[in-house]
Amino acid sequence: MNSSSETSRSLWMATATVRTAPTLDASLQVDAVIVGAGIAGLSVAYELSRAGRRVAVLDRGPLGGGMTARTTAHLASAFDDYFYEYVRLRGEREARAYFQSQSAAISRIESIQQDEGIDCDFARVDGYLSLAPGCDPRILEREFAACQQIGFVEAEWAHRSPLPGGEGMPALRFRNQGRFHPLKYLDGLVGAIEARGGRLFAETAVVGVEEKGGEVVVSTTSGHTVRAGAAIVATNSPVNDWLAMHTKQAPYRTYAIAARAQDGVMEDALFWDTLDPYHYVRLHPSSDGGGPWVIVGGEDHKTGEANDFEARFGALEAWMRRHLPGARAVEHRWSGQVMEPVDLAPFIGLNPGDKHVFIATGDSGEGITTGVVAGMLLSDLAQGKPNDWEQAYRPGRKTLRALGAFLSENATVATNFTEYVRPGAISSLDDLKPGEGAVLRDSGKKVAAYRDAGGSLHLRSAVCSHAGCIVHWNALETCWDCPCHGSHFDVDGQPLHGPAIYPLAEHKQGR
Ligand SMILES: Cc1cc2nc3c(=O)[nH]c(=O)nc-3n(C[C@H](O)[C@H](O)[C@H](O)COP(=O)(O)OP(=O)(O)OC[C@H]3O[C@@H](n4cnc5c(N)ncnc54)[C@H](O)[C@@H]3O)c2cc1C
Ligand code: FES
């Protein structure tokens, strides 16, 4: 199981499938074992198998069923958190490396889909950062200056937005960005890995990643193990690390809608604005002649801190109607989670304290391209080769200059622990209607209670199995979200998204 068991379905889930894989039914020995079959894990597996290495990929759910199935798949070398902030926090050299790696990631997708014959609707399009009403125009001036400083020559003043009526609007244009269908691409990667002898296993949850005598042993819930010279943990949020990495990033829920439109509803481009959280918009072609899809995303909040999805989808739709009057009825609505690193760059490289275990996490809103960067960077590192981007992404780096963000993101954990002594959202199970979930207090314990459509109760401990925070109900996805580090659990307590690997404990009423 993984987040594919959450309720909402993305446009991608409705229009493509990733091929299936068996579960691991015997122990194995390979050159490299990859945990997680999203864009990051499959990109690493692809690069290593192309380099002639024997790889095994293990996923706790269906292949491609994680956050990659819930993306909006803008492929951007422009930076959604602003390069001027990156230069301030991390310096010009690292900002330049970040830009170059993201740009290389788009080119890598372009060449892989060509080489492997993957029909994934890839196209190069321009990206526009548009000034939103009420925002300081100096944001664009600073961003343009930072782009020039780091050698991003395809950034230029556009003085227009790609939305209808956008002539004369303050905006920067970034040439040569891209877009694709993420699940069609992942399915093609799986085929290419298999064709090179790579082994892939679904519904195979990893519970241990341990270095032993110069190799790594990866253990699974079934008891079978995979031994390898290197392990790559690409589970979006690392399941091999208890706390250190999780204090350097914070989980955010983000929302997206898709509606059909007439051709020409807007320029075929990427659009995002200067609000925080920002709106992100693009078109995607449809193959059935029904007109292109308009995809609008935004309305982010810290995971577990809001449960008002109708209001958030309503706000996205109202924004779409205002700016894209040619859009028709909304046909798809979904949410997903991104991990925001406190010092802006993802963490891709050697897991701190290990010699043969690598991680890819801290995806932020650009996790598709950073997943492809992970493919190139980690395949080099796992083969003992140097890589120019290693410094920019190293997971062991100190985040001292980002102390403010570090403290404010980690305050969530302290606040959450006060929930142990606070009353629950409801005082009695009788208050729970069919289809509702809520945390309540029973015999001094916090309980995650859900009443299903048939009226049956599902009770689990509300204490997250990762590090003990209290989980919150997510009515859109019919799951429990942990605000501290972003674990998700189904109504019977089974983990759907890490870092948790174990279920919520059982709860017996009155005990
Ligand atoms: C609404 C939304 C819009 C977005 N828009 C963009 C965008 O426009 N551009 C962009 O670049 N990025 C975007 N992102 C971010 C991007 O989609 C993600 O960062 C990226 O897909 C994450 O890929 P991943 O491989 O790290 O994780 P995932 O796709 O989540 O893959 C991780 C895999 O690990 C598996 N796993 C977890 N735990 C275990 C375990 N214990 N054992 C075995 N397997 C395990 C999971 O089942 C899962 O399949 C968006 C995200 C969302 C939610
Ligand atoms: S995800 Fe860390 S405590 Fe829940």
Side-chain angles (χ1 to χ4, degrees), residues 2 40 59-60 67-68 70-72 74 206 236 363 366 368:
N2 59 13
D59 199 289
R60 62 167 308 118
M67 291 306 152
T68 307
R70 295 172 173 273
T71 187
T72 52
H74 293 220
V206 167
N236 194 245
D363 51 11
E366 302 197 330
I368 296 292

Side-chain angles (χ1 to χ4, degrees), residues 236-238 245-251 339-342 347 361-363:
N236 194 245
S237 179
M245 292 311 301
H246 302 293
T247 62
K248 299 189 194 183
Q249 56 183 1
M339 304 302 299
E340 290 294 345
V342 294
F347 303 99
T361 189
D363 51 11

Side-chain angles (χ1 to χ4, degrees), residues 87-443:
V87 172
R88 185 183 68 78
L89 213 54
R90 309 279 312 275
E92 182 186 319
R93 211 172 55 156
E94 293 203 5
R96 192 180 280 268
Y98 183 86
F99 158 65
Q100 287 172 348
S101 63
Q102 297 296 315
S103 178
I106 305 173
S107 301
R108 190 73 188 129
I109 293 170
E110 184 170 32
S111 64
I112 289 172
Q113 53 95 37
Q114 256 164 20
D115 294 354
E116 305 294 343
I118 304 172
D119 182 4
C120 61
D121 311 329
F122 175 86
R124 289 280 187 176
V125 291
D126 290 343
Y128 291 82
L129 169 64
S130 292
L131 190 73
C135 288
D136 184 346
R138 282 174 301 181
I139 295 175
L140 296 186
E141 287 160 22
R142 284 193 203 118
E143 188 59 2
F144 181 66
C147 287
Q148 291 200 309
Q149 189 183 357
I150 62 168
F152 191 168
V153 294
E154 288 153 317
E156 59 195 22
W157 284 102
H159 301 296
R160 72 182 179 85
S161 136
L163 305 182
E167 281 308 320
M169 302 265 283
L172 294 180
R173 177 169 45 226
F174 308 96
R175 299 274 189 201
N176 242 350
Q177 309 294 291
R179 54 123 163 110
F180 70 168
H181 190 306
L183 295 189
K184 289 182 181 174
Y185 181 74
L186 288 196
D187 185 59
L189 280 190
V190 172
I193 295 163
E194 283 176 336
R196 290 177 174 83
R199 312 273 310 271
L200 296 106
F201 303 95
E203 307 297 343
T204 301
V206 167
V207 288
V209 179
E210 223 184 323
E211 291 197 330
K212 272 190 192 162
E215 64 172 7
V216 189
V217 181
V218 167
S219 41
T220 66
T221 39
S222 66
H224 300 303
T225 58
V226 180
R227 292 175 174 271
I232 290 92
V233 180
T235 49
N236 194 245
S237 179
V239 294
N240 58 323
D241 174 86
W242 185 61
L243 217 51
M245 292 311 301
H246 302 293
T247 62
K248 299 189 194 183
Q249 56 183 1
Y252 282 77
R253 275 269 174 199
T254 179
Y255 298 80
I257 57 176
R260 289 194 194 257
Q262 288 162 346
D263 284 327
V265 65
M266 66 175 264
E267 180 184 335
D268 189 1
L270 313 180
F271 166 98
W272 62 106
D273 64 23
T274 49
L275 291 172
D276 182 18
Y278 59 87
H279 297 97
Y280 45 100
V281 184
R282 76 168 178 93
L283 294 183
H284 196 83
S286 69
S287 48
D288 58 7
W293 293 99
V294 174
I295 305 165
V296 179
E299 291 294 321
D300 311 11
H301 61 78
K302 212 162 173 196
T303 292
E305 290 190 352
N307 189 21
D308 54 355
F309 67 91
E310 285 297 357
R312 290 180 192 264
F313 285 133
L316 282 183
E317 184 169 351
W319 188 95
M320 181 178 78
R321 302 264 164 255
R322 211 163 44 246
H323 295 277
L324 291 155
R328 300 191 195 120
V330 172
E331 292 184 44
H332 301 278
R333 309 194 306 177
W334 68 96
S335 84
Q337 181 173 282
V338 295
M339 304 302 299
E340 290 294 345
V342 294
D343 69 348
L344 301 179
F347 303 99
I348 305 171
L350 197 58
N351 188 48
D354 282 332
K355 291 195 177 88
H356 308 287
V357 179
F358 302 86
I359 56 171
T361 189
D363 51 11
S364 188
E366 302 197 330
I368 296 292
T369 39
T370 57
V372 177
V373 171
M376 296 183 278
L377 174 52
L378 295 185
S379 64
D380 277 352
L381 299 187
Q383 294 178 86
K385 296 181 189 168
N387 185 293
D388 289 346
W389 307 323
E390 186 176 354
Q391 279 296 101
Y393 290 100
R394 68 196 180 284
R397 68 185 184 257
K398 300 276 178 269
T399 50
L400 284 180
R401 281 204 212 163
L403 192 61
F406 177 87
L407 292 175
S408 99
E409 296 295 15
N410 283 286
T412 302
V413 180
T415 310
N416 185 282
F417 275 95
T418 66
E419 292 185 24
Y420 272 91
V421 292
R422 284 195 255 144
I426 53 169
S427 52
S428 159
L429 287 171
D430 298 338
D431 298 341
L432 218 48
K433 297 190 186 70
E436 281 182 0
V439 171
L440 84 161
R441 185 175 283 283
D442 180 46
S443 308

Side-chain angles (χ1 to χ4, degrees), residues 47-92:
E47 300 293 352
L48 284 169
S49 61
R50 193 165 161 154
R53 309 287 154 171
R54 289 173 308 146
V55 301
V57 180
L58 311 177
D59 199 289
R60 62 167 308 118
L63 306 181
M67 291 306 152
T68 307
R70 295 172 173 273
T71 187
T72 52
H74 293 220
L75 306 177
S77 56
F79 184 46
D80 63 347
D81 287 322
Y82 304 115
F83 276 120
Y84 65 81
E85 275 297 313
Y86 203 117
V87 172
R88 185 183 68 78
L89 213 54
R90 309 279 312 275
E92 182 186 319

